Amino acid sequence: MTLVVGTLTAAPGTKVRGSVRADLGTLTTDIPLTLVNGSTPGPRVVITAGVHGGEFTGIEAAHRLAALLDPAHIRGQVVLCPIANPPAAYGGRLGTSPLDGVNINRVFPGNPEGGPTERLAAWLFANVVDGADAYVDLHSGGIDEFLQDFVGYRLTGDPDLDAKTAAMAHVIGYDDVVVGLHADDGNSHAAAVRRGIPAVLIETGQFGERDPRAASRVVDALIRLLDHVLDGKDSEYPPAREWLWAGFVTSSATGLWYPTVTAGDDVTEGQVIGHVTDPADDTTHEVHAPATGRVFYGMHGLTVVPGTDLAAIAAPR
Ligand SMILES: [Zn+2]
């Protein structure tokens, strides 16, 4: 079956690379895509990266995988979108878009009548994500974030869908899988499972690094995932530990953030995990862990304002 995404088409047994123009209302943006249409029919896997700017490991991994995949050896279809959010990836290199300050990963499945980032989310969801049999979104710690590698997925309450998603999350082969108990928000993988598409998030690397070993780790993980979804073939992988999100800390003040913990540290509820100091008068606010568990990601940058995410903590499931 011909694989079509926007104006790009790939006949069976071919790989087509190019870009598709998305209309964002007041401007357009060109989304790079690689379509790999296997010579044998089968499921479709969609992989996006660069939903957030400044998260380079996933972008590099998707770019490498696009070069590696050979349609002659693929059963099914793979759609790779290495830069899903060009304004954020090329412009600000931040989690928010320089077009309108919106974090696209809070507004999926988007709004075709909304602002430019909401329109981009709607375009990606309708043209790239919808129609997938499995969806993977690649993220990393951004330029100002520390992060311990993990796989994330959401529970929906549908036992068959949740089992398929959990199997995908585990076959990736990372040590830690963090589970969200609902799929009610605007993350791309949450919106996808709400649509009935098994979907996972892979978080790898921190500080906006472009470490080639980190990118290789993601490529290897994606190949295991493709083997699982397209060929029903599970390679050996060590069992992962499952975690549940237990607490998210945001700054209550404007100032300079001095964390005393980093990714992978275990904390107990109430423990001081850093402080925010106002450079105008040295007023200091202590920041406490809201839950006992492990810090999976947080703010590495020095300057914070009220609402800045400082740390995310998960507890063993
Ligand atoms: Zn991200």
Side-chain angles (χ1 to χ4, degrees), residues 52 55 139-140:
H52 287 143
E55 301 186 3
H139 288 252
S140 316

Side-chain angles (χ1 to χ4, degrees), residues 52-168:
H52 287 143
E55 301 186 3
F56 300 133
T57 299
I59 294 172
E60 172 66 10
H63 177 62
R64 286 194 202 180
L65 189 64
L68 279 177
L69 291 180
D70 177 354
H73 298 122
I74 298 261
R75 189 183 83 86
Q77 303 177 327
V78 183
V79 175
L80 285 147
C81 181
I83 300 204
N85 188 353
Y90 289 119
R93 300 199 185 98
L94 296 173
T96 53
S97 174
L99 298 177
D100 53 13
V102 173
N103 178 346
I104 195 172
N105 216 25
R106 302 291 176 270
V107 302
F108 280 99
N111 176 3
E113 309 298 321
T117 297
E118 288 180 313
R119 287 180 192 233
L120 176 56
W123 189 93
L124 290 166
F125 204 78
N127 289 279
V128 179
V129 176
D130 222 359
D133 297 294
Y135 171 55
V136 185
D137 193 22
L138 305 177
H139 288 252
S140 316
I143 290 164
D144 58 3
E145 282 178 308
F146 56 78
L147 181 135
Q148 172 177 305
D149 297 359
F150 67 93
V151 173
Y153 75 93
R154 306 300 187 88
L155 296 174
T156 63
D158 172 341
D160 289 346
L161 178 58
D162 291 347
K164 273 189 192 167
T165 307
M168 275 171 55

Side-chain angles (χ1 to χ4, degrees), residues 251-271:
S251 181
S252 60
T254 297
L256 310 181
W257 161 236
Y258 297 95
T260 53
V261 297
T262 191
D265 285 353
D266 290 323
V267 297
T268 51
E269 185 176 347
Q271 178 187 331

Side-chain angles (χ1 to χ4, degrees), residues 31-55:
I31 318 264
L33 285 155
T34 295
L35 313 186
V36 185
N37 196 354
S39 33
T40 321
R44 181 186 301 175
V45 178
V46 170
I47 299 167
T48 54
V51 159
H52 287 143
E55 301 186 3

